[in-house]
């Protein structure tokens, strides 16, 4: 594995007094919020939540625009609830045949604040086995061109890239036909190598979640063929709802099988865990879910590099349970996630 680099953009001296103060107040340039005595979360009536992570908050995200719209309409309570999403760092998923405009916008915005941007490269051919997020590049050549443009647009900016959610697990579960396995592994390896040419880019190859590939040993060889040795690690729970404890335990098992590989966890919507029951569509816009742990690189786990919000809370999983097309902003679902969150 390549050496782990710190996500932090600055170094601070943490004295006992400063630690106590940090625990008592959560501050931004605009305001400070005292934690709720029972939950330890900020009282939102006293001001916005602080971004204490090294990751960039997009001021023009779908959630941020929705907050402005609802505020102008007098829906103040709903707008304040949605700030639980709009004021947190969320990954950007560059769409379409040309990723450059999206990547350049977010990297330039993050650079102005000295923060790290989180990106998702999601355009592998035969993506999602023809399901809700079907599509991707037309062929291997198109994908290589797309990925090269993606990496070039990052430039020297600090970036964390989650590489091709589901691509490796779909090899393992047989959803992706065997005829495509060799090409997919080759493309993923080439993607890792290309992205790692950018001097401040970290790459995590996606490895699904513990409720999907229940035996982590089945992922080892496919991840090795996908270039995990040259990446910074693997990602878990992307767009899913498994609880942090279960995902972390699974990550440690997989790490041990990969010689100590590091990993990141998507905690964007797992505050209430997965939908109860073994339902085939439990992953698709399940009701009653909640936001999870805010993004941070202070995980308390040596192998766990960060909790990230990889899935954008409020973006639909697909046309199920009344949702719009996959990846489409769904404000009512976003509001439900926020209201269920402490």
């Amino acid at each position: 594995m390549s050496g782990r680099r710190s996500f932090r953009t600055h170094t601070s001296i943490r004295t006992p007094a400063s630690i106590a103060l940090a625990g008592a107040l959560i501050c931004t340039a605009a305001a400070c919020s005292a934690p709720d005595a029972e939950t330890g979360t900020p009282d939102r009536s006293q001001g916005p939540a602080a971004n204490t992570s090294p990751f960039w908050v997009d001021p023009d995200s779908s959630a941020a625009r929705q907050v402005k719209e609802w505020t102008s309409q007098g829906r103040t309570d709903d707008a304040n609830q949605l700030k639980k999403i709009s004021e947190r760092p969320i990954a950007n998923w560059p769409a379409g045949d040309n990723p450059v405009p999206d990547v350049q916008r977010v990297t330039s915005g993050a650079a102005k604040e000295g923060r790290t941007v989180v990106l998702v490269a999601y355009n592998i051919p035969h993506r999602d086995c023809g399901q809700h997020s079907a599509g991707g590049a037309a062929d291997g050549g198109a994908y290589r061109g797309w990925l090269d443009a993606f990496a070039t647009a990052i430039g020297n900016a600090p970036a964390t890239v989650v590489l091709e959610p589901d691509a490796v697990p779909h090899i393992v579960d047989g959803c992706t036909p065997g005829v495509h396995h060799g090409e997919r592994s080759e493309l993923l390896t080439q993607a890792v190598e290309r992205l790692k040419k950018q001097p401040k880019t970290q790459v995590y190859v996606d490895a699904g979640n513990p409720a999907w590939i229940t035996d982590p040993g089945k992922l080892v060889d496919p991840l090795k063929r996908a270039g995990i040795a040259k990446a910074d690690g693997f990602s878990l729970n992307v767009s899913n709802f498994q609880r942090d404890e279960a995902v972390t335990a699974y990550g440690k098992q997989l790490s041990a099988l990969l010689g100590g590989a590091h990993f990141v966890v998507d905690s964007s919507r797992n505050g209430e865990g997965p939908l109860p029951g073994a339902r085939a569509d439990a992953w698709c816009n399940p009701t009653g879910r909640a936001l999870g742990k805010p993004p941070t690189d202070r995980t308390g786990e040596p192998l766990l590099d960060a909790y990230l919000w990889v899935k954008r809370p409020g973006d639909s999983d697909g046309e199920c349970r009344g949702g719009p097309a996959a990846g489409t902003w769904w404000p009512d679902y976003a509001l439900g996630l926020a209201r269920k969150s402490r």
Side-chain angles (χ1 to χ4, degrees):
M1 305 300 298
S2 57
R4 182 192 181 200
R5 297 193 306 275
S6 172
F7 284 110
R8 295 180 178 84
T9 56
H10 63 277
T11 301
S12 59
I13 299 175
R14 295 175 61 80
T15 64
S18 68
I19 294 172
L21 179 61
L25 294 174
I26 299 176
C27 300
T28 66
C32 292
S33 300
D36 178 271
E38 180 178 353
T39 66
T41 55
D43 177 356
R44 299 199 54 77
S45 65
Q46 299 182 38
N51 175 23
T52 58
S53 81
F55 307 111
W56 180 66
V57 176
D58 185 354
D60 193 40
S61 67
S62 297
R65 293 195 297 270
Q66 194 70 61
V67 167
K68 292 178 183 177
E69 180 179 334
W70 281 350
T71 299
S72 68
Q73 294 172 351
R75 295 178 60 176
T76 305
D77 180 63
D78 290 345
N80 284 336
Q81 287 290 334
L82 212 59
K83 287 179 182 178
K84 295 175 184 177
I85 298 174
S86 69
E87 293 173 355
R88 296 297 186 189
I90 302 172
N92 182 271
W93 299 57
D97 294 332
N98 181 12
V100 173
D102 280 343
V103 176
Q104 288 183 336
R105 182 185 72 83
V106 296
T107 53
S108 63
K112 292 176 183 177
E113 299 179 17
R115 292 185 179 271
T116 297
V117 67
V118 180
L119 295 162
V120 182
Y122 188 54
N123 197 39
I124 201 84
H126 317 293
R127 187 181 70 192
D128 201 31
C129 306
Q131 300 181 73
H132 290 290
S133 297
D139 54 36
Y143 182 72
R144 292 182 187 93
W146 184 89
L147 198 285
D148 181 64
F150 185 110
T152 300
I154 293 174
N156 295 328
T160 295
V161 178
V162 173
L163 182 61
E164 297 300 340
D166 302 347
V168 170
H170 274 319
I171 289 177
V172 177
D173 71 5
C175 186
T176 298
V179 66
H180 301 309
H181 289 186
E183 179 191 51
R184 174 162 295 184
S185 297
E186 180 181 7
L187 290 176
L188 289 170
T189 296
Q190 292 172 352
V192 170
E193 292 173 347
R194 177 63 191 88
L195 287 164
K196 289 303 296 179
K197 290 181 180 179
Q198 306 310 123
K200 298 179 182 178
T201 294
Q202 292 180 304
V203 183
Y204 294 86
V205 182
D206 189 61
N209 66 75
W212 182 358
I213 310 297
T214 56
D215 177 4
K218 293 181 179 180
L219 288 160
V220 173
D221 286 342
L223 283 170
K224 288 180 177 179
R225 290 194 295 270
I228 189 72
K230 294 184 179 180
D232 293 274
F234 55 92
S235 59
L236 294 173
N237 207 42
V238 171
S239 298
N240 211 273
F241 302 84
Q242 307 305 308
R243 293 186 183 275
D244 292 336
E245 296 80 6
V247 179
T248 300
Y250 184 85
K252 289 179 178 179
Q253 293 178 50
L254 182 54
S255 172
L257 297 172
L258 290 169
H262 286 236
F263 60 98
V264 294
V265 169
D266 183 356
S267 60
S268 57
R269 305 183 299 173
N270 68 352
E272 290 289 334
L275 190 70
R279 300 175 59 176
D281 61 350
W283 59 271
C284 192
N285 299 326
T287 57
R289 302 308 91 198
L291 302 172
K293 187 186 299 294
T296 181
D297 64 340
R298 297 180 181 182
T299 68
E301 293 283 354
L303 295 171
L304 176 53
D305 288 350
Y307 292 102
L308 303 173
W309 283 10
V310 182
K311 173 70 177 183
R312 302 173 65 82
D315 279 6
S316 176
D317 292 314
E319 296 175 359
C320 49
R321 296 188 172 88
T328 303
W329 171 246
W330 187 6
D332 290 341
Y333 194 80
L335 183 60
L337 291 170
R339 286 195 179 280
K340 285 283 289 184
S341 304
R342 290 181 295 178

